[in-house]
Amino acid sequence: MAEQTFAELQEQFRQIGPTVTLRSIGDVERTAVVVHSISFDVPDHLIPVFPAYEERFLCLVLSLLRAPRSRVIYVTSQPIHPRVLDYYFSLVPELDTPVARARFEAVSLVDGRNEPLSRKLVGRPGALERIRRLIGEPEVAMIIPFCMTADEVALAERLQLPIYGCDPALNWLGSKTGSRRVFADEDVRHPVGLDVGGSHDLPDALAELRGRSRHARTAVLKLDQGVSGLGNALLDLDEAARDPRAAIELEDEEIDVDQYLALLDEQGGILEERIEGDDFRSPSVQLRMSPAGQVDIMSTHDQILGGIHAQTYFGCHFPADPEYAALIAAEALKVGRRLAREGVIGRAAVDFATVRRNSSWEPYALEINLRSGGTTHPLFALTSLTDGVYDPLAGEWRTRFGAIKHYAATDHLHSPAYRSLTPDDLLDVVAEQGLGWDGERETGVVLHMVSAIAVAGRIGLTAVGNTLEEARRRYRNVKAAVDAASGAS
């Protein structure tokens, strides 16, 4: 039988749509190959954290295994610490059994090079053949990626499996210029701005922006393919009128202005007014587009931004403030329906800025992230552990028992002192002080990126509470415990 192309494989999703879900799908034999590959350029200082990033979907495994005939093959660059696997299975006791564990297979390439996991896997025929044997011949099989690039397309074709993601030809929809085009087409309010072809366009673009937005004091310059805010730069418009280059203040501290402008010449980007106000928030909405074209609002979050200019994603609170959660969900739904019409499959997010003016909140759509992101795995954790659902109209998450839940999450809990701890030390501290997950109350803390603590002094966590304040308190308790164990000041 001739091998199928990527387009032909994706067309299979039109037939199996109802089975592409994290929920129980009844008596269907299903295999998911999870490949959390960061298949795009990231700053060099994040390279040591790559293996830990690849472990962020381990909570997803628990959701997938709730369906009794589902199997999961989890691929990583480096072997997962056995105790880390034990930790995740222990979070859901009914899955911490030999029968359930037998439906999970870990495949490691034992290759820590700075190269996307998908690309490394495609170049290893033996590993691909091992995965094919593990897949067997289920009724349904698919790849679950982190993002979509040519590497993921090649992997789908080598394994002859459809992938829960969209054709990379549609990635323009998640660029900064593409996002603005979608917002304009779908009548979604967004900041005044314009496309910038390169550094040579900057002086004229700044002059045009000042003419179109006379109240603006600061502009944001964004690289078209920037990730997590690191491609952003701020420009004071008064200073930029005198010397645009001198006015550029970079968010990414690892590069200089000359390197940034070279990237702008290479990628292009956008220049837009910075939305500002005394009461300002940075929420986001997470979407899911099914193979059949259905659009679901999966969650809303208030993002916690850090970095020298508060442009970099550091964490989130869930759900977003109820005063505007339904409002941004309705705007994001317009975007999701456009993405579905374009043929997008899988997860995406829309980032917003909201500002309170005259006692009401005004949302401005900022960008579309056509991939999973920092808010994806905390939601996987909550879904796995409470088996609940988000109501976008009410702006609430309710468990299967009807209880409302909140969480505070981050991938950026770090200190140089944390490098003195091993993953075992971290798990011991959390267990001995009773700071972990309480299955009866369905509150507590779930750790992520445990393997990054020794190499990078960094971990992630999702702290779940019945109120946001309880969730934040649980977060602070874990931080205090890890600080004390490591001697962090």
Side-chain angles (χ1 to χ4, degrees):
M1 181 178 176
E3 291 194 346
Q4 294 179 290
T5 66
F6 177 72
E8 291 168 337
L9 291 166
Q10 292 303 88
E11 187 58 31
Q12 294 180 13
F13 269 142
R14 310 301 171 189
Q15 312 301 323
I16 64 171
T19 66
V20 186
T21 174
L22 304 186
R23 306 283 174 178
S24 174
I25 55 174
D27 195 29
V28 176
E29 187 179 12
R30 172 183 65 173
T31 298
V33 181
V34 180
V35 185
H36 186 298
S37 177
I38 309 292
S39 299
F40 47 78
D41 291 336
V42 297
D44 289 344
H45 68 274
L46 291 180
I47 292 171
V49 189
F50 265 27
Y53 274 132
E54 293 173 4
E55 297 173 6
R56 292 192 301 181
F57 279 4
L58 283 171
C59 273
L60 168 62
V61 170
L62 302 177
S63 281
L64 293 168
L65 291 180
R66 282 186 181 275
R69 296 188 66 199
S70 287
R71 299 176 64 246
V72 178
I73 300 166
Y74 201 98
V75 186
T76 57
S77 295
Q78 298 281 36
I80 303 172
H81 192 304
R83 190 171 171 194
V84 171
L85 284 177
D86 290 343
Y87 166 74
Y88 278 100
F89 275 101
S90 72
L91 296 173
V92 183
E94 59 265 36
L95 293 178
D96 195 11
T97 67
V99 172
R101 284 192 175 222
R103 294 188 281 117
F104 173 84
E105 296 282 354
V107 174
S108 170
L109 304 184
V110 197
D111 180 353
R113 290 176 302 131
N114 178 24
E115 186 176 302
L117 173 59
S118 294
R119 190 179 307 164
K120 288 188 282 193
L121 180 54
V122 167
R124 285 178 165 78
L128 290 170
E129 181 56 35
R130 190 174 311 114
I131 291 171
R132 290 189 193 100
R133 290 197 301 268
L134 290 171
I135 292 170
E137 296 183 2
E139 297 168 74
V140 176
M142 74 192 86
I143 300 169
I144 298 180
F146 176 79
C147 63
M148 288 299 298
T149 69
D151 294 325
E152 282 68 36
V153 170
L155 179 60
E157 291 182 337
R158 290 295 298 273
L159 288 176
Q160 286 292 284
L161 292 180
I163 191 164
Y164 191 41
C166 68
D167 190 327
L170 297 174
N171 281 350
W172 69 269
L173 292 159
S175 68
K176 303 302 182 290
T177 53
S179 296
R180 286 187 59 85
R181 194 184 316 171
V182 171
F183 299 151
D185 290 348
E186 304 306 319
D187 195 27
V188 175
R189 180 192 290 178
H190 55 290
V192 174
L194 62 159
D195 295 354
V196 177
S199 58
H200 56 281
D201 289 343
L202 195 51
D204 289 344
L206 285 162
E208 183 175 343
L209 181 62
R210 288 184 72 102
R212 292 171 53 191
S213 180
R214 296 192 178 278
H215 64 278
R217 297 172 297 171
T218 308
V220 185
L221 180 62
K222 300 180 180 180
L223 298 177
D224 206 32
Q225 305 300 327
V227 177
S228 296
L230 289 172
N232 294 3
L234 298 185
L235 294 90
D236 179 276
L237 287 174
D238 289 335
E239 184 179 346
R242 296 186 293 270
D243 186 343
R245 187 186 184 284
I248 294 174
E249 299 180 26
L250 300 179
E251 181 69 12
D252 188 350
E253 299 179 84
E254 301 295 316
I255 64 174
D256 59 30
V257 171
D258 287 336
Q259 291 171 308
Y260 181 86
L261 292 176
L263 290 170
L264 183 64
D265 289 335
E266 177 185 322
Q267 300 179 19
I270 63 172
L271 181 76
E272 58 189 18
E273 63 179 346
R274 187 184 193 188
I275 303 301
E276 299 178 284
D278 292 335
D279 202 349
F280 171 89
R281 311 281 179 82
S282 298
S284 66
V285 180
Q286 288 63 48
L287 305 166
R288 182 180 63 194
M289 280 63 63
S290 79
Q294 178 178 330
V295 181
D296 294 310
I297 303 293
M298 304 304 294
S299 64
T300 61
H301 291 83
D302 278 319
Q303 299 182 101
I304 302 167
L305 302 182
I308 58 175
H309 300 299
Q311 296 285 301
T312 304
Y313 176 82
F314 271 37
C316 62
H317 293 157
F318 169 86
D321 191 311
E323 290 192 10
Y324 51 75
L327 182 62
I328 60 173
E331 293 297 284
L333 186 59
K334 299 178 189 177
V335 175
R337 287 170 174 163
R338 169 64 180 275
L339 297 179
R341 291 196 301 273
E342 294 281 354
V344 171
I345 296 172
R347 290 181 178 266
V350 184
D351 290 345
F352 289 85
T354 57
V355 61
R356 191 197 297 270
R357 292 179 178 143
N358 300 321
S359 74
S360 63
W361 289 96
E362 297 179 4
Y364 295 82
L366 299 181
E367 60 188 60
I368 301 167
N369 293 306
L370 207 59
R371 54 176 172 79
S372 297
T375 57
T376 305
H377 55 283
L379 186 68
F380 282 159
L382 188 67
T383 303
S384 299
L385 299 177
T386 71
D387 201 23
V389 65
Y390 180 70
D391 181 343
L393 293 178
E396 296 176 341
W397 175 276
R398 290 187 178 271
T399 71
R400 61 193 180 282
F401 300 120
I404 293 175
K405 299 294 176 181
H406 300 255
Y407 62 67
T410 186
D411 286 341
H412 292 266
L413 185 58
H414 60 89
S415 166
Y418 290 0
R419 292 190 177 97
S420 66
L421 302 177
T422 67
D424 289 301
D425 295 331
L426 173 63
L427 294 171
D428 285 344
V429 167
V430 171
E432 290 168 2
Q433 299 194 31
L435 300 174
W437 179 249
D438 183 335
E440 290 189 11
R441 293 190 69 245
E442 294 191 328
T443 59
V445 171
V446 180
L447 299 172
H448 311 290
M449 300 175 59
V450 174
S451 63
I453 193 165
V455 67
R458 176 175 165 182
I459 61 170
L461 62 87
T462 299
V464 180
N466 293 321
T467 65
L468 179 58
E469 183 48 45
E470 180 189 352
R472 296 176 67 183
R473 175 175 54 80
R474 292 180 179 278
Y475 176 106
R476 292 191 296 268
N477 289 346
V478 170
K479 182 182 184 304
V482 181
D483 284 351
S486 63
S489 58

